[in-house]
Amino acid sequence: MGRNGSGKTTLFRLMTGAQQPTSGTVSRQPGLKMALLEQHRDFGDAVTVWEAAAGEFSELLALEQALARQAELIGQAGEAVTEQMLFKYDRDLERFSREGGYTLAPRVDAVLQGLGFDPELGRSQPVEQLSGGERGRLGLARQLVSGAEVLLLDEPTNHLDLETTRWLEEYLRGTDKTVLLISHDRSFISNVADHILHLEAETAIPYTGDYRSFVVQRDERRLSQQRAFDKQRKVIAGEEDYIRRNIAGQNSKQAKGRRKRLGRLPRLSAPGGDDASSMGLALEVSERGGDQVVVARNVTLRIEDRTLVEKFTGTIRRGDIVGLIGSNGSGKSTFLRALMGEHDVASGELTIGGSIQPSYYRQDMAQVPRDKTLYEVINSLRPRWERRQIQGHLGRFGFSGEEAHRRTDTLSGGEQARVALAMMVLSKANLLILDEPTNHLDIESVETLEDAISGYEGTVLLVSHDRAMLEALTSRVWVLHERHITDFPGSFVEWEDQSREREHAAAVAAAEEESLRRLKERKATRVRESNTSDQRSALRESRRRADAAEKEIATLEEQISRLTRLLEDPELYLTRDGTQKSVVAGKELEEVKRRLDAVFSEWTAATELIEKLSTEQVRTPR
């Protein structure tokens, strides 16, 4: 952890050997494999999304395809099958199993599914068709699938929605790999990390424990450092006063001795805390505005032939802080653009109150001009300001001195975010429309923004994947799910508590998907059975058991899908009866999942016996 520019990414590059230290050495265990998500998302020769995610396991994928072709040929050959064909199949199958072939495809599919991709579509979807955010998620998938022992994750939750971030937390908690991550998502760090390395004031200080423990230890350390600094400063002031009074007098010798000792004294530095370089962010309103800030009546939003929001009616009132949440691609940003008049409403009305002045913080930073200096950007908003006022305003957002004359197209993502906030402050709007405002900001800046919104007297519509911010600020939640927006009349904390079964349903559905993919993989690489063996009855019984298990798996799959759809519906959690119904459905879902695991184990045992008997009967002389 540390502020933007403190050296976190550089530290990763030192670990991998991509960069050498100015002094000192970096030691790595011989043969240790590390995976670092590169900024440019290089997927090598991979053509499809699935191939890119599989990464280094391309040879194993080719072997899987070869096994499927061999199994087809052996089945077609019948009694004409040769020992050479069987030997090659046995050898390749043994290698496929030894190198994790049966678990690779389900693992790739599970990671893709968890990160918001369709695994089946991914087998044919070209990488070149992906957006920047999708390429970021695919790069993360490639890392998680890799055989590296150490994962270096640089801002892994960027481009992830709330559900996907939760999935990643579960995945990282369950992995046996060592994980080093850079993140500004406080909830994510709290739920994943057990050690913290804090880069601050050109030092790196290690802490043991999670994020909450780190905050306590950091504050205690800063307090102790401040006390020591104040004590030394008091001692130095006393010594300097003595020297000044006695340097030319009767005690000149003692004064000179003290001056010499004072010159050799190592000086303590003041603690480099949040106040040292945090943004001077204060959000004010120029006028109070009316009570009805945003009104939606039967609103339907579409992009081409796809419906994003259907017949939504709702109102945001003065002073509300509404969190708009939903999966990536569900239409949250489109809803904000429609509210600002930048996207047509297919039907209904979506309006901002007549006395309401909005300020729109765009996720893509399009509000920051790309052809101006920082000074020109602020001057265009405050043409009557003097130079010192413009530079003073920029200085409060971390741009001092000559930095005021930098062009905006040379700024990093974090710097552009601070410019966007500097512009938003000047608007003195009474409605803030914020689309992922925490992207690119370091934790200290996120906390500063959070404090500013908390003290803001206007109204806020917030789209964010930062759970800590949603938990701290929201008074209401709009949940966008399957074209429907549910207006939840409570905070995000209350929404999470009341809809806990939704997360449970998603986890069960993901596990069920992985089981079914494992089933398909085993079927794809299995030798077709012949009906000419003396062991025909044993084969027949094994096939009967496998078929019965497959039928029950299909039935259980339908039950899981039904229960998952029920539990994923936000409307279920708006009433006490609905919440109680979700608990009952959650218990039923867990029971169905346990039965599915048992039936899948039965199917696996039956198919393994079929494989064994099929190979033996083909080898038996006719």
Side-chain angles (χ1 to χ4, degrees):
M1 284 173 43
R3 286 190 174 278
N4 289 336
S6 61
K8 303 183 297 295
T9 301
T10 300
L11 188 59
F12 273 12
R13 292 176 62 80
L14 289 172
M15 291 179 187
T16 61
Q19 186 170 331
Q20 296 304 314
T22 306
S23 62
T25 58
V26 178
S27 301
R28 285 177 290 275
Q29 181 181 334
L32 187 69
K33 293 179 65 178
M34 294 186 179
L36 172 62
L37 180 60
E38 293 293 345
Q39 186 175 4
H40 299 297
R41 318 292 193 235
D42 180 14
F43 299 115
D45 297 329
V47 176
T48 67
V49 167
W50 210 93
E51 289 172 350
E56 65 197 68
F57 298 104
S58 57
E59 289 187 13
L60 205 54
L61 297 178
L63 181 59
E64 176 191 16
Q65 294 167 358
L67 278 168
R69 288 194 297 271
Q70 290 179 51
E72 186 76 21
L73 290 173
I74 289 173
Q76 292 173 356
E79 295 186 9
V81 67
T82 65
E83 285 289 327
Q84 185 178 6
M85 293 169 64
L86 290 170
F87 176 77
K88 177 173 174 51
Y89 182 85
D90 283 349
R91 183 190 61 194
D92 290 350
L93 187 63
E94 191 275 332
R95 179 191 160 199
F96 183 75
S97 178
R98 183 181 69 249
E99 296 183 7
Y102 285 123
T103 60
L104 171 64
R107 189 164 82 247
V108 174
D109 284 351
V111 170
L112 286 174
Q113 182 91 18
L115 292 177
F117 293 97
D118 182 337
E120 290 300 321
L121 177 63
R123 293 178 184 271
S124 58
Q125 184 180 12
V127 172
E128 62 185 18
Q129 290 183 356
L130 300 182
S131 66
E134 288 171 329
R135 290 179 71 88
R137 285 188 281 127
L138 182 58
L140 177 58
R142 187 183 180 96
Q143 260 190 296
L144 299 180
V145 170
S146 77
E149 295 107 328
V150 179
L151 301 179
L152 306 179
L153 308 180
D154 194 345
E155 300 290 6
T157 60
N158 278 359
H159 312 296
L160 301 187
D161 55 38
L162 291 168
E163 294 296 333
T164 310
T165 300
R166 287 193 188 96
W167 175 88
L168 181 60
E169 288 174 0
E170 291 293 331
Y171 187 94
L172 294 180
R173 281 201 295 263
T175 187
D176 58 355
K177 299 178 180 182
T178 299
V179 180
L180 290 89
L181 63 93
I182 296 168
S183 180
H184 63 257
D185 188 324
R186 292 159 292 170
S187 291
F188 179 71
I189 296 172
S190 296
N191 292 330
V192 173
D194 51 26
H195 290 73
I196 305 285
L197 183 67
H198 189 210
L199 276 63
E200 180 183 48
E202 299 183 356
T203 62
I205 302 158
Y207 296 86
T208 300
D210 61 12
Y211 177 76
R212 295 176 183 86
S213 175
F214 151 75
V215 171
V216 173
Q217 295 177 63
R218 179 198 61 185
D219 291 347
E220 289 175 348
R221 176 183 164 277
R222 284 177 176 171
L223 180 60
S224 175
Q225 189 178 352
Q226 185 67 53
R227 286 171 175 167
F229 174 75
D230 292 342
K231 183 178 179 180
Q232 187 187 64
R233 187 170 56 178
K234 188 176 180 180
V235 169
I236 290 173
E239 290 289 278
E240 288 176 341
D241 180 61
Y242 180 89
I243 294 166
R244 192 166 44 251
R245 287 186 290 104
N246 294 282
I247 194 68
Q250 203 171 26
N251 296 323
S252 175
K253 187 175 180 181
Q254 291 93 326
K256 289 178 180 178
R258 290 193 181 194
R259 185 170 62 182
K260 187 179 291 185
R261 285 197 304 273
L262 197 60
R264 292 196 298 263
L265 178 68
R267 303 299 173 98
L268 298 176
S269 58
D274 296 345
D275 296 336
S277 56
S278 61
M279 296 186 296
L281 183 59
L283 298 170
E284 301 175 349
V285 298
S286 58
E287 60 177 295
R288 180 176 179 271
D291 289 336
Q292 289 195 338
V293 179
V294 173
V295 177
R297 294 188 182 92
N298 291 318
V299 171
T300 296
L301 291 179
R302 293 193 181 96
I303 291 183
E304 296 177 348
D305 295 333
R306 182 186 170 208
T307 300
L308 299 176
V309 177
E310 195 166 32
K311 294 183 179 179
F312 169 60
T313 297
T315 303
I316 298 178
R317 299 191 176 276
R318 185 175 57 83
D320 282 347
I321 301 180
V322 178
L324 175 57
I325 63 175
S327 60
N328 281 341
S330 60
K332 302 185 299 296
S333 294
T334 304
F335 183 89
L336 299 188
R337 289 198 299 272
L339 181 59
M340 292 299 294
E342 298 176 4
H343 184 87
D344 292 335
V345 175
S347 63
E349 297 179 13
L350 183 59
T351 58
I352 293 176
S355 60
I356 302 302
Q357 180 187 356
S359 179
Y360 182 19
Y361 183 103
R362 292 170 169 82
Q363 184 177 354
D364 59 4
M365 302 294 170
Q367 69 270 39
V368 180
R370 292 294 186 266
D371 57 349
K372 295 183 178 181
T373 66
L374 303 186
Y375 185 93
E376 290 169 343
V377 170
I378 302 303
N379 188 47
S380 66
L381 298 173
R382 287 293 185 273
R384 294 177 179 270
W385 272 11
E386 298 177 1
R387 175 179 293 274
R388 61 178 179 80
Q389 291 175 294
I390 294 174
Q391 291 187 318
H393 184 71
L394 286 169
R396 285 191 287 275
F397 289 85
F399 303 103
S400 57
E402 289 301 312
E403 286 192 315
H405 299 287
R406 287 178 61 188
R407 284 177 57 89
T408 54
D409 53 11
T410 68
L411 301 178
S412 67
E415 290 169 330
Q416 287 186 29
R418 282 188 275 126
V419 173
L421 291 173
M423 296 168 63
M424 188 175 71
V425 165
L426 297 179
S427 71
K428 294 192 176 182
N430 50 22
L431 169 62
L432 301 182
I433 300 172
L434 307 176
D435 192 358
E436 300 291 4
T438 62
N439 279 357
H440 309 297
L441 292 179
D442 52 47
I443 286 180
E444 289 85 352
S445 299
V446 170
E447 290 175 340
T448 300
L449 174 60
E450 190 176 286
D451 290 341
I453 295 174
S454 181
Y456 177 60
E457 295 181 355
T459 307
V460 180
L461 177 55
L462 171 65
V463 171
S464 180
H465 64 266
D466 188 318
R467 273 171 295 168
M469 175 171 279
L470 290 168
E471 289 168 358
L473 297 176
T474 55
S475 57
R476 286 169 59 199
V477 181
W478 283 359
V479 186
L480 176 52
H481 176 72
E482 292 187 352
R483 305 184 304 278
H484 180 68
I485 296 180
T486 298
D487 187 349
F488 181 76
S491 68
F492 183 75
V493 173
E494 293 171 312
W495 163 250
E496 284 203 314
D497 287 342
Q498 203 147 323
S499 63
R500 194 67 64 190
E501 289 298 336
R502 293 182 81 243
E503 187 176 341
H504 175 221
V508 170
E512 178 249 357
E513 285 284 342
E514 184 170 352
S515 295
L516 292 176
R517 284 190 287 270
R518 287 166 58 198
L519 181 149
K520 291 176 183 176
E521 286 303 312
R522 278 205 168 272
K523 290 177 72 173
T525 56
R526 197 175 72 206
V527 178
R528 290 189 178 181
E529 309 91 40
S530 170
N531 292 324
T532 60
S533 171
D534 293 336
Q535 299 160 313
R536 185 180 302 160
S537 60
L539 274 171
R540 195 161 45 237
E541 175 59 21
S542 297
R543 286 198 297 272
R544 187 195 64 76
R545 287 170 48 208
D547 290 343
E550 282 187 34
K551 290 178 182 177
E552 187 168 1
I553 286 171
T555 301
L556 294 170
E557 180 188 357
E558 289 178 3
Q559 293 181 34
I560 286 176
S561 296
R562 174 180 58 82
L563 291 167
T564 300
R565 285 195 301 272
L566 172 67
L567 292 169
E568 285 183 342
D569 184 1
E571 294 286 337
L572 181 66
Y573 304 96
L574 294 180
T575 63
R576 184 183 298 274
D577 288 344
T579 303
Q580 292 174 347
K581 186 177 180 181
S582 74
V583 173
V584 174
K587 291 178 181 178
E588 183 182 352
L589 180 64
E590 191 60 36
E591 182 59 38
V592 175
K593 176 64 172 61
R594 278 196 291 269
R595 179 56 189 161
L596 177 64
D597 290 341
V599 176
F600 185 77
S601 296
E602 293 172 11
W603 180 88
T604 301
T607 52
E608 286 177 348
L609 183 58
I610 290 171
E611 272 186 31
K612 179 182 177 183
L613 293 174
S614 297
T615 304
E616 287 178 356
Q617 65 88 24
V618 174
R619 287 179 177 278
T620 304
R622 302 292 190 270

